[in-house]
Amino acid sequence: MILPRSSYPLQGIFYFLSNWSLIRKILGILFITLVVALLSIGLTFAFLLRLQANGLTDIGCPSWLSWIIAVILCLLESVVFTIIFYLVATPLWQDALFDQVLRLKGLSKVLDERERQVSNVTICFRGICAGITFAFFQIYALIFAEILLLIITAPLHFIPVIGTFVYCYLNGWVMTWGHQLHYHIEIKEWSLKESRKFAWKNRHDYLMFGTVAVALELIPIANFLFIWTNVVGAALWTADVIIDEQQRAARVTNRSDPSIASQSTYSPQSPPNSIPYQAIKIKK
């Protein structure tokens, strides 16, 4: 059963925290990001601190102030570098987290069917290309759109409660589409244009999910966790859609051929992957 779309980001929190296999999926990126952050701080202070301090002194800045500004600049530069790395690397882990949720929901066949159609080398190559494509797309398109929308809608926060709600609502569609790109392009093998058209056609559902997801990511400190639980919530929503379509397809098949119904072992409690995924067509 497909639940209200606005409930899935909240479901994602509880589902993520109750499944160690999901938490384990992101430990790698968290550790690597920490290492990169420490390296970037060390390298910027080792190579850029003195250079920037001397440069500021040369343009007439007092020596003591030059060193303070240089330290601040080094910290900012390391933070920017770490954020860029995180944005580039995160999509790979988000896709793995999304796929793991589908497997936990009994939809391994949805993923395995695609993998059997191509060689391991092709899958690896696609994975690398997809990671790079999604990273660049998010940085130069989705991230740019979100930042632009954030700047335009930022004054709404001055209106208590209502302003923040409108802000979350306006930014929700872009965020939800970003979370569904992996499913649309890599699993369903849609084009980017088809994905965008589908997302816009179902914009009401996307806005309902995205409004809550954006609101969660506005919470300081905790938003670092909610970035990942929103991915889990999007995957739970997708899983429910697939299961619902499989059950409807099974009912149609059983009505058209009663002999199949008498032989079928499928039930709502049975693994949803007992119905061939190729038979499921989602309207675009």
Side-chain angles (χ1 to χ4, degrees), residues 201-258:
K201 181 180 179 181
N202 296 275
R203 57 187 175 275
H204 176 73
D205 292 340
Y206 278 52
L207 285 169
M208 292 299 98
F209 177 95
T211 299
V212 179
V214 172
L216 290 173
E217 293 192 13
L218 287 177
I219 301 174
I221 302 177
N223 56 2
F224 187 73
L225 171 65
F226 294 148
I227 288 173
W228 299 100
T229 61
N230 283 337
V231 175
V232 175
L236 290 173
W237 176 17
T238 300
D240 283 350
V241 169
I242 295 173
I243 293 171
D244 182 73
E245 289 179 345
Q246 288 179 337
Q247 292 175 345
R248 284 192 286 110
R251 288 195 293 269
V252 170
T253 302
N254 293 341
R255 284 198 299 267
S256 62
D257 191 347

Side-chain angles (χ1 to χ4, degrees), residues 38 48 83 90 151 238 240:
L38 294 175
L48 297 179
I83 290 174
T90 293
I151 295 173
T238 300
D240 283 350

Side-chain angles (χ1 to χ4, degrees), residues 11-193:
Q11 290 185 59
I13 299 173
F14 297 104
Y15 198 83
F16 176 81
L17 295 176
S18 62
N19 286 276
W20 170 247
S21 62
L22 298 180
I23 298 174
R24 191 170 60 239
K25 283 287 182 181
I26 70 168
L27 292 180
I29 184 61
L30 296 180
F31 176 75
I32 294 173
T33 302
L34 176 61
V35 172
V36 170
L38 294 175
L39 285 175
S40 65
I41 291 174
L43 292 174
T44 52
F45 274 88
F47 295 101
L48 297 179
L49 179 61
R50 183 177 294 277
L51 183 64
Q52 291 176 151
N54 292 337
L56 290 170
T57 302
D58 291 342
I59 62 175
C61 186
S63 179
W64 65 271
L65 184 59
S66 297
W67 283 99
I68 294 176
I69 295 176
V71 169
I72 295 174
L73 288 175
C74 285
L75 291 174
L76 291 175
E77 288 158 358
S78 65
V79 168
V80 169
F81 179 81
T82 303
I83 290 174
I84 292 174
F85 169 81
Y86 187 74
L87 290 174
V88 171
T90 293
L92 298 176
W93 271 266
Q94 287 181 333
D95 293 350
L97 188 65
F98 192 101
D99 292 348
Q100 181 64 18
V101 173
L102 295 185
R103 295 185 187 280
L104 290 174
K105 296 291 288 184
L107 294 169
S108 297
K109 194 170 184 178
V110 174
L111 304 171
D112 297 340
E113 199 65 40
R114 175 177 62 91
E115 293 176 358
R116 283 198 294 268
Q117 296 173 359
V118 294
S119 66
N120 291 333
V121 175
T122 304
I123 292 172
C124 180
F125 180 76
R126 280 187 182 179
I128 295 172
C129 291
I132 295 174
T133 300
F134 287 154
F136 275 86
F137 182 77
Q138 283 188 317
I139 292 173
Y140 295 109
L142 284 178
I143 298 300
F144 175 78
E146 288 189 48
I147 292 175
L148 182 62
L149 197 57
L150 182 149
I151 295 173
I152 294 174
T153 58
L156 290 171
H157 288 295
F158 290 106
I159 306 174
V161 183
I162 297 177
T164 301
F165 172 80
V166 174
Y167 171 87
C168 295
Y169 184 83
L170 294 177
N171 287 275
W173 181 83
V174 176
M175 173 179 284
T176 306
W177 181 32
H179 286 321
Q180 292 292 337
L181 270 178
H182 168 62
Y183 174 63
H184 289 171
I185 295 177
E186 285 298 297
I187 299 177
K188 293 184 66 62
E189 298 183 343
W190 287 356
S191 67
L192 186 63
K193 184 178 180 180

